[in-house]
Amino acid sequence: MNDYGRSPQFGYFLVPNAGDPVIEYAKLADRLGLDLIGVQDHPYQRRYLDTWTLLSVIVAVTERVTVFPDVANLPLRQPSVLAKSAASLDLLSGGRVELGLGAGGFWEAIEAYGGPRRTRGEAMDALTEAVTVIRKVWSGEPNSRFEGEHYHLRGARTGPEPAHRVGIWLGVGGPRGLALAGRAADGWLPSSPWAPPERLPELHARIDEAAMEAGRKPSDIRRVYNVNGSIGPGRTAAQWAAELTDLVVGFGMDSFVFWAEGDQERQLHLFAEEVVPEVRRQVAMEREG
């Protein structure tokens, strides 16, 4: 049983289809009091809006919700410029940005868009370097330097610094990625289809071991879970609430990004109004008991 004791957060996984009223969905998520909006980043998908452009518009038309790429496609986004983008949006939004980051996938599509085709090992090496580069760019150092196999900084004038400590949440699942998350990241960002609940204990264990070896507490790392499905007769709001509560107090996850199927507005209302408050109530009861 894992419970890292963090306050649960709840969000909406916004699919950036150009033909959908995505801004209205984002504004609804904000009005309903959700904590997060995550947007997947697949620039080579012709039906998708650009993720960073969409996130920028979302923070301009919302008041409180935090936004993040779920996850940024590193091979197509230079980490130094990505860091600048995240810091800029964080400043402009008053501290409402986090950075989900992935090593990349769909290599043929990435290569077609001008990005590099990397082996799994190369992708992990690049991700490790990118975490260092991004943190250096956020540091505001006047003469920042880093030499890596894939990325470098050579006397870079970094800044501006973000409005708050932007979290780097890694969408990783292999041993090296999980170790990197425990050693150097602020969060772990898996999706339930490839990291189902029965696998979570072993995956947490790898993160926790690396965190402790690096002198960190496992609870320093937020555990953000993309969960997909629909709320309805086959899986009621009460069932969703019970499942998510168990994922918090029994399986170590503390944040949930709802990837809704079906009518997005109705699903958002059900999630925010019936599932979220019940999970908060049940988690509080479980922890007090």
Side-chain angles (χ1 to χ4, degrees), residues 134-170:
I134 290 166
R135 288 257 167 75
K136 281 183 171 289
V137 171
W138 287 342
S139 73
E141 295 175 8
N143 186 26
S144 191
R145 296 184 179 276
F146 173 77
E147 286 294 333
E149 185 71 24
H150 301 276
Y151 304 115
H152 65 261
L153 296 171
R154 294 170 182 166
R157 298 180 179 181
T158 64
E161 298 176 42
H164 84 298
R165 179 184 166 86
V166 175
I168 297 177
W169 299 347
L170 298 183

Side-chain angles (χ1 to χ4, degrees), residues 23-89:
I23 298 303
E24 295 307 312
Y25 295 158
K27 290 194 289 188
L28 177 59
D30 188 54
R31 289 197 303 271
L32 290 170
L34 292 180
D35 304 295
L36 304 166
I37 293 176
V39 178
Q40 59 185 298
D41 186 29
H42 296 289
Y44 36 76
Q45 292 282 6
R46 69 180 183 87
R47 294 183 178 88
Y48 283 4
L49 299 165
D50 173 69
T51 294
W52 274 106
T53 305
L54 178 56
L55 293 176
S56 299
V57 175
I58 289 172
V59 298
V61 299
T62 56
E63 296 180 357
R64 57 174 303 279
V65 73
T66 291
V67 302
F68 67 100
D70 191 357
V71 290
N73 192 307
L74 178 62
L76 289 174
R77 299 197 184 267
Q78 183 76 10
S80 55
V81 179
L82 180 61
K84 178 91 170 187
S85 299
S88 300
L89 195 55

Side-chain angles (χ1 to χ4, degrees), residues 124-242:
M124 276 309 309
D125 290 340
L127 180 62
T128 302
E129 292 177 15
V131 171
T132 300
V133 167
I134 290 166
R135 288 257 167 75
K136 281 183 171 289
V137 171
W138 287 342
S139 73
E141 295 175 8
N143 186 26
S144 191
R145 296 184 179 276
F146 173 77
E147 286 294 333
E149 185 71 24
H150 301 276
Y151 304 115
H152 65 261
L153 296 171
R154 294 170 182 166
R157 298 180 179 181
T158 64
E161 298 176 42
H164 84 298
R165 179 184 166 86
V166 175
I168 297 177
W169 299 347
L170 298 183
V172 291
R176 288 186 62 195
L178 296 168
L180 177 63
R183 184 174 69 250
D186 303 285
W188 176 47
L189 182 52
S191 295
S192 56
W194 59 264
E198 60 269 21
R199 289 199 63 212
L200 291 176
E202 64 170 290
L203 301 175
H204 284 310
R206 291 182 181 273
I207 295 171
D208 296 351
E209 181 181 3
M212 290 184 287
E213 287 177 355
R216 309 176 71 198
K217 295 182 295 184
S219 59
D220 289 342
I221 297 108
R222 182 167 286 283
R223 322 284 167 132
V224 188
Y225 209 20
N226 293 319
V227 290
N228 71 301
S230 62
I231 304 164
R235 194 178 175 194
T236 66
Q239 289 173 311
W240 272 89

Side-chain angles (χ1 to χ4, degrees), residues 12 28 32 34 228-233 235 240 258-275:
Y12 174 48
L28 177 59
L32 290 170
L34 292 180
N228 71 301
S230 62
I231 304 164
R235 194 178 175 194
W240 272 89
F258 180 44
W259 189 345
E261 297 176 358
D263 184 329
Q264 297 296 292
E265 291 189 19
R266 174 169 170 73
Q267 290 295 309
L268 271 170
H269 274 285
L270 289 170
F271 184 66
E273 295 171 347
E274 299 188 24
V275 176

